[in-house]
């Protein structure tokens, strides 16, 4: 008997499902709730970003430094969780594209397993994914993911670019999903997700920035402009 094909719909999050990025607003939201004095440290964030732009630090280190500034280097999950939940509510209320919600609903109705694959931290992404009805999350993890505190240190790879595809493949292997026995749709706004879009049977440029819009024309990836 032939095993049924597994259907996966893999979505990027920031600026694909959401209108704006979620990471810096998350840091500011939690920093304001936990220790308002830390907001004064936000003046250093542009300098950290400049160091990243000048390639003095990698993207992963950029995220670690900003988290240390806004939240702290070591914070108990129990202290963070109420603010994670309130931030997820805020994202769903004010920062989600209606067109993305409609596409998610259509994929769900068509029998696709919904997977959120994002460079943002699992720490807060899972709360957003739960509200959106996703079945699985592939995201950047903290080093102490399995402990009762959060350190401003990334475990493994930042879920970005080719690393995101590797993490998707690792997740599929862990789930016992063979690439040959599944059909994959993938959605993203950013050219860094080209490896994921090429891996998919159907790649979609959703609200693409200029480099992805150009590549999508070359690759023949359909374009969505969700409001």
């Amino acid at each position: 008997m032939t095993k049924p094909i597994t259907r996966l719909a893999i979505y990027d999050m920031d600026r694909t499902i959401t209108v704006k990025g979620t990471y810096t607003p998350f840091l500011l939201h939690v920093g304001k709730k936990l220790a308002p004095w830390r907001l004064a440290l936000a003046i250093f964030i542009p300098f950290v970003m400049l160091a990243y732009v000048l390639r003095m630090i990698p993207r992963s280190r950029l995220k670690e430094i900003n988290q240390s500034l806004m939240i702290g280097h070591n914070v108990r999950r129990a202290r963070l969780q109420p603010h994670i939940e309130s931030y997820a509510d805020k994202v769903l209320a004010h920062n989600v594209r209606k067109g993305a919600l409609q596409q998610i609903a259509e994929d769900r109705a068509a029998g696709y397993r919904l997977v959120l694959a994002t460079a943002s931290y699992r720490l807060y992404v899972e709360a957003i994914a739960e509200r959106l009805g996703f079945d699985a999350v592939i995201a950047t993890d903290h080093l102490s993911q399995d402990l009762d505190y959060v350190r401003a240190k990334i475990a493994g790879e930042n879920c970005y670019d080719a690393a995101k595809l590797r993490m998707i493949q690792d997740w599929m292997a862990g789930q016992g999903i063979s690439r040959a026995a599944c059909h994959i749709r993938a959605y993203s706004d950013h050219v860094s997700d080209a490896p994921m879009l090429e891996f998919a049977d159907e790649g979609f440029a959703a609200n693409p920035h200029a480099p992805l819009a150009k590549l999508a024309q070359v690759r023949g990836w359909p374009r969505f402009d969700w409001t």
Side-chain angles (χ1 to χ4, degrees), residues 11-25:
Y11 286 76
D12 175 51
M13 186 176 74
D14 285 6
R15 299 183 180 86
T16 298
I17 295 174
T18 67
V19 178
K20 299 176 291 185
T22 61
Y23 179 56
T24 299

Side-chain angles (χ1 to χ4, degrees), residues 2 8 16-17 43 50 193 199:
T2 303
L8 300 177
T16 298
I17 295 174
I43 61 172
L50 179 61
D193 278 329
F199 179 69

